[in-house]
Amino acid sequence: MAETRLRGRRLALLAAMSAAILGVSTVVVVAADHLTAPGHDGAARVAAEKPVPPVDSDVLSDEQAKARDRARRQAENARIRGLLAPDVSLEDFVPDEPVVAVTSNGRDIDCTQLKCVAITFDDGPGSQTDQLLAMLRAADALATWFPLGEVVSDSPERLRAIAEAGHEIGNHSWSHPQLTATSNGQIETQISRTADLIDKLLGTRPTLVRPPYGAINKRVAAELRQLNAPAILWDVDPLDWKYRNSDRVYRSVMSQVRPGSIVLLHDIHPTTVAAMPRILRALANRGYTFVTVSELFGNRLVPGQIYLDRAEGYRRD
Ligand code: NI
């Protein structure tokens, strides 16, 4: 029963998220837009899956899911502001799933108090890793990479350099398949094979997973939960894989970003790397702190849960 209810909640949450993003209520694929890895040129948008009807009466409606999420937000905001009475329990708002143990990098950063932004790089690491690392170092910025296993196996030294510079390493699968069209066994292979390789290279096993194309549904989320992996999507997407124009990438990022954002970029494109000094300077001028994805969420993430941003946890005075 409890398991059924959990699954039902997750379905409703996914549906609500999809609805918020796509403006419809039945689509379960969240987003679909970056098709950038070597050998992955082609159609740039993944077809949405067919509507999934509620499986039983325990499934929350979109309205119920929204109400619950609103309650959680309000409780969190109240707690942040010190307004929540001591005798009021937050238990109802704490995720009932286990919290994944994300290893802290040792920095003490509170993204409920600071204007944080998590910059992320998918599909690489690219050939300009050294230049990019120098740019980030100059801006006192940490970022997060979601590498492909097959790219890492070809150029492991790039990932080592990134990790040694203190950046966070996630997992973007081995060869970039659309996980919603992939069997559970293949999902496990795609994620575990990459994690094994990274663990062997760095001595640290990545937990954060970014599903290729952002394609995720109830089944994939459940499989990621089994693999102890939170699903990290994004809220800022300049479509840098499509528009190979540094100025456009810069303007697009700056027009979308807000406190708590996760920015999706691809360092395999020279136009994106070339845009980075300007992006970093402009964000710093707006008062942003550059954090890893785990730092953005205080090193507390739930396996199988989808993360788009941390906007609601930030205190706006
Ligand atoms: Ni990708």
Side-chain angles (χ1 to χ4, degrees):
M1 187 60 166
E3 180 60 22
T4 305
R5 196 164 62 245
L6 278 181
R7 279 191 269 115
R9 283 183 185 175
R10 193 170 296 107
L11 172 62
L13 184 58
L14 284 168
M17 283 180 153
S18 302
I21 293 162
L22 299 176
V24 295
S25 60
T26 51
V27 175
V28 293
V29 173
V30 170
D33 257 342
H34 59 296
L35 198 50
T36 49
H40 290 93
D41 293 340
R45 188 163 283 275
V46 179
E49 291 195 345
K50 288 184 175 170
V52 177
V55 292
D56 59 45
S57 60
D58 279 338
V59 173
L60 297 179
S61 69
D62 284 0
E63 207 49 49
Q64 288 171 311
K66 278 179 194 162
R68 182 206 52 197
D69 291 344
R70 202 158 45 237
R72 281 183 177 165
R73 264 199 310 279
Q74 286 166 356
E76 174 73 0
N77 288 338
R79 189 184 61 72
I80 289 167
R81 290 168 189 276
L83 297 174
L84 202 65
D87 59 340
V88 175
S89 171
L90 273 177
E91 205 170 313
D92 289 345
F93 308 112
V94 173
D96 32 19
E97 290 115 316
V99 173
V100 69
V102 179
T103 308
S104 167
N105 62 11
R107 293 209 301 182
D108 185 17
I109 288 183
D110 182 353
C111 290
T112 65
Q113 305 293 319
L114 295 167
K115 278 174 78 170
C116 291
V117 59
I119 291 175
T120 66
F121 298 106
D122 282 16
D123 296 0
S127 60
Q128 292 181 291
T129 295
D130 288 347
Q131 293 96 312
L132 182 51
L133 287 177
M135 293 168 184
L136 292 166
R137 191 162 51 243
D140 194 22
L142 289 187
T144 303
W145 265 260
F146 290 97
L148 289 174
E150 64 181 12
V151 175
V152 174
S153 70
D154 283 345
S155 48
E157 70 288 348
R158 294 180 194 162
L159 199 70
R160 269 203 208 95
I162 291 165
E164 280 169 12
H167 302 285
E168 181 160 39
I169 309 293
N171 185 338
H172 195 38
S173 82
W174 186 266
S175 59
H176 214 275
Q178 182 190 335
L179 300 184
T180 49
T182 304
S183 74
N184 285 353
Q186 287 170 322
I187 291 172
E188 181 176 1
T189 302
Q190 284 281 332
I191 300 305
S192 296
R193 191 178 171 198
T194 303
D196 289 346
L197 173 64
I198 292 172
D199 192 4
K200 195 173 146 198
L201 274 175
L202 306 178
T204 308
R205 193 175 179 82
T207 48
L208 310 183
V209 165
R210 172 161 285 160
Y213 317 106
I216 190 163
N217 58 15
K218 179 187 172 193
R219 180 178 64 84
V220 174
E223 189 63 22
L224 291 180
R225 186 183 180 210
Q226 291 294 318
L227 295 168
N228 204 36
I232 310 300
L233 300 186
W234 57 84
D235 66 319
V236 175
D237 183 1
L239 303 178
D240 64 330
W241 56 270
K242 185 176 181 183
Y243 303 111
R244 311 287 177 85
N245 177 310
S246 297
D247 188 51
R248 180 170 184 146
V249 171
Y250 162 77
R251 282 186 285 108
S252 183
V253 168
M254 296 312 295
S255 68
Q256 296 177 57
V257 73
R258 57 184 180 152
S261 278
I262 299 175
V263 182
L264 171 64
L265 293 166
H266 300 81
D267 60 318
I268 55 174
H269 300 307
T271 41
T272 296
V273 175
M276 287 311 298
R278 204 172 159 200
I279 290 173
L280 292 165
R281 202 162 46 239
L283 288 172
N285 286 341
R286 285 198 196 172
Y288 280 95
T289 300
F290 304 103
V291 299
T292 65
V293 168
S294 289
E295 284 178 323
L296 185 63
F297 296 101
N299 297 317
R300 291 172 60 83
L301 296 103
V302 178
Q305 190 164 310
I306 298 172
Y307 295 86
L308 300 162
D309 59 45
R310 175 73 196 270
E312 68 192 33
Y314 172 66
R315 180 170 71 178
R316 296 174 188 80
D317 285 325

